[in-house]
Every structure is written in structure tokens, then in C-alpha cells.
Amino acid sequence: MEQTDKLLHGQAINYSGWLHSNEYRCNALADNVTAHVIMDEKRNLFLHINQTPIAEWFREQIELSQKENQRKENRL
């Protein structure tokens, strides 16, 4: 609750733990990231992780995970 309140009042928070994406139907480990909510000119709120929009951050995490899994398979 406290972290959500800080985000909604424009403060950045440091976070470590799992984040879930309904869009990608997956979880990603966020290790010591900075989360911040940005308001656009239409007053819409957007969550950013390490200054990256959350959707883009999840795409990057999925790509990294897939590459890591591929490397593991190649070693076998």
C-alpha cells in the first residue's frame, strides 16, 4: 500500500521482487529496479521500470529469458 501511494504521488521507489504482466501472461524478476509513474499531457498514468515503459521492460525481460534458455539448451 505504501509503495503504491508513493508511486501515485509521483515518487520513485526501489523494488526487488516479482512483477506480473497480464498482457504477456508471465512473471519477471525485478532485481533492485526503480519504478516511477509518469503522467502524460492527457493525465494518463504510465508505470516505468528503470526509465523504460513497463510493456517494453517486460518484452526485454522475455527476450533475455529466451536467450538464456537457448544458451542452456545449446550447452546440453
Side-chain angles (χ1 to χ4, degrees):
M1 236 11 208
E2 183 181 330
Q3 289 179 330
T4 302
D5 189 53
K6 285 182 178 182
L7 286 170
L8 292 176
H9 284 93
Q11 297 176 1
I13 62 166
N14 290 324
Y15 178 79
S16 290
W18 291 95
L19 294 175
H20 177 75
S21 169
N22 287 333
E23 180 180 351
Y24 293 106
R25 298 181 194 153
C26 70
N27 295 319
L29 182 59
D31 186 26
N32 195 30
V33 298
T34 300
H36 192 237
V37 173
I38 307 293
M39 184 183 303
D40 70 4
E41 58 278 343
K42 294 181 183 177
R43 302 186 56 82
N44 295 314
L45 300 176
F46 297 95
L47 180 62
H48 285 65
I49 304 295
N50 293 339
Q51 301 179 350
T52 303
I54 188 75
E56 185 178 328
W57 184 85
F58 263 105
R59 272 194 305 274
E60 291 172 0
Q61 299 309 304
I62 290 168
E63 288 174 8
L64 289 172
S65 177
Q66 288 172 343
K67 287 178 184 177
E68 182 63 28
N69 288 340
Q70 191 175 40
R71 274 183 268 202
K72 287 179 183 178
E73 287 175 7
N74 289 339
R75 285 187 228 153
L76 296 175

